Amino acid sequence: MDTSLRYFVAGHRGMVGSAVVRALQRRGCASILTATHADLDLTDQASTRAWFAEHRPDVAVIAAAKVGGIGANSAANATFLYENIMIAANTVEAAYRADVKRLLFLGSSCIYPRMAPQPIREDALLTGALEKTNEGYALAKISGLKLCEFYRKQFGVLYHSLMPTNLYGTGDNYDVVGGHVLPTMIRKFEVARTTGAKTVDLWGSGTPLREFLHVDDLAEACLYALDMENPPDLMNVGSGREVTIRQLAEMIRTATGCEAEIRWDSTKPDGTPRKLCDSSLLRSFGWAPAIDLEEGIAKTVIEYREAVAAGTVRLGH
Ligand code: GDP
């Protein structure tokens, strides 16, 4: 990759953005631009345009988003749609106006129909109704990837998208109400282990199937995609390995060394029954994940314990 270019990573304090910054640093990129929320509100059109006009990056990676787990999404679909659609529209248009030649937009596999054939291929997009619990987020991300596709076609700029599966890893959000399942389980088992609690309450039936990818694998996929001369408009990024929520819980219980009994709270939603990406398109260009789930969970538990000791656990966004 061209390490002399100016890379802007939107959302550099988030789990994905910070992993992309680390990956760019590993490659030796000289100029990595970032902006804190106080300096740049990406939901604000005027300030987003002004920032791009002033800083003029060569490449932009849009990892900024309002994200959350099933609880946060289902309680606030309006906010998830509004904020994410504003971020997508403002960044793509401001980048185009500032002559940014290349932009990588990040979404999520929840853009696909709830009942899409599994593993989900990119061409399942817009073939059926969305999962209701995160419909707002999904609609915003679909708009974002379509903006990239249309700007590319209409204006000749190389704007394209990656849709990662469920992510976890360094810098995750450990809020047990709004967070995603994997970090939430780590926190719940760690709290039970350290307090000696006899039970851990988890949500739903434990039967849904999910795929998980370590965020460092996604960051490498981002750089891989940015190296491609003529990437497809949209590519999935997943590990290809599926586990039930129950299996995930057992893995995390083992990794934390917690002996509490699991109780499944059936008043909480299961969400989509199965969500496995078909990542063969990106893999056909040579990318492959490097971190397997047990290894990634073990590393994440260690990082969580370090963050607890340092008082730096992220709770919310
Ligand atoms: P999703 O993959 O978009 O549905 O979002 P999540 O990462 O929040 O995963 C939700 C799945 O994990 C659902 O099947 C939940 O029922 C299940 N789950 C089990 N326990 C928990 C928990 O403590 N928190 C969350 N967020 N999900 C849980």
Side-chain angles (χ1 to χ4, degrees):
M1 74 186 299
D2 188 344
T3 54
S4 68
L5 295 178
R6 289 155 61 78
Y7 290 85
F8 170 47
V9 181
H12 73 290
R13 289 212 170 136
M15 176 170 70
V16 173
S18 57
V20 171
V21 167
R22 290 194 302 276
L24 288 168
Q25 287 167 339
R26 282 197 295 275
R27 299 287 167 98
C29 288
S31 180
I32 304 169
L33 309 177
T34 56
T36 61
H37 202 280
D39 293 333
L40 170 59
D41 175 2
L42 293 167
T43 66
D44 184 87
Q45 187 187 49
S47 59
T48 308
R49 281 187 188 171
W51 192 93
F52 271 87
E54 183 186 343
H55 296 277
R56 298 198 157 266
D58 299 303
V59 180
V61 179
I62 310 304
K66 176 165 181 61
V67 298
I70 194 166
N73 268 276
S74 54
N77 266 300
T79 312
F80 278 83
L81 174 55
Y82 174 74
E83 289 195 16
N84 287 310
I85 211 165
M86 295 303 283
I87 292 170
N90 288 340
T91 52
V92 169
E93 168 68 11
Y96 172 61
R97 284 174 179 240
D99 208 20
V100 175
K101 296 285 188 296
R102 186 142 195 172
L103 181 145
L104 180 64
F105 181 76
L106 289 161
S108 149
S109 56
C110 68
I111 59 161
Y112 293 113
R114 172 182 163 83
M115 289 308 184
Q118 309 274 330
I120 310 170
R121 288 161 37 123
E122 290 83 354
D123 59 12
L125 187 70
L126 294 173
T127 56
L130 297 165
E131 159 64 31
K132 289 285 175 208
T133 50
N134 52 24
E135 193 176 16
Y137 180 85
L139 286 168
K141 289 297 181 182
I142 292 170
S143 302
L145 76 91
K146 283 290 173 188
L147 280 166
C148 292
E149 180 186 325
F150 294 156
Y151 273 63
R152 183 176 183 176
K153 201 171 288 161
Q154 190 176 337
F155 302 123
V157 286
L158 194 40
Y159 295 0
H160 56 116
S161 305
L162 289 182
M163 293 298 131
T165 193
N166 287 28
L167 299 168
Y168 72 99
T170 311
D172 211 339
N173 167 21
Y174 287 90
D175 172 19
V176 294
V177 179
H180 286 106
V181 57
L182 195 151
T184 301
M185 284 186 180
I186 291 180
R187 176 132 179 255
K188 286 182 175 176
F189 282 115
E190 278 291 276
V191 168
R193 184 182 63 80
T194 51
T195 61
K198 296 271 175 292
T199 53
V200 166
D201 289 328
L202 299 178
W203 294 358
S205 62
T207 57
L209 287 154
R210 293 287 186 276
E211 177 193 25
F212 296 93
L213 184 76
H214 194 282
V215 71
D216 286 342
D217 275 333
L218 172 65
E220 286 301 324
C222 289
L223 302 198
Y224 206 92
L226 285 172
D227 274 342
M228 290 169 63
E229 261 174 43
N230 189 21
D233 288 319
L234 169 64
M235 289 188 286
N236 292 337
V237 194
S239 62
R241 178 175 171 196
E242 236 181 343
V243 292
T244 63
I245 293 297
R246 196 176 291 268
Q247 286 170 325
L248 178 74
E250 288 303 339
M251 279 181 194
I252 295 175
R253 184 161 66 166
T254 305
T256 57
C258 177
E259 287 170 0
E261 185 197 325
I262 298 169
R263 285 193 311 204
W264 295 98
D265 178 356
S266 59
T267 67
K268 292 285 198 291
D270 266 345
T272 193
R274 192 177 176 203
K275 196 165 49 168
L276 173 67
C277 286
D278 182 335
S279 304
S280 53
L281 183 58
L282 181 57
R283 293 190 77 134
S284 73
F285 294 106
W287 173 83
I291 305 168
D292 73 34
L293 186 56
E294 283 84 354
E295 176 195 348
I297 288 174
K299 182 171 182 259
T300 307
V301 168
I302 291 168
E303 289 173 349
Y304 173 79
R305 287 177 182 165
E306 287 168 355
V308 169
T312 56
V313 176
R314 263 183 69 206
L315 301 173
H317 295 276

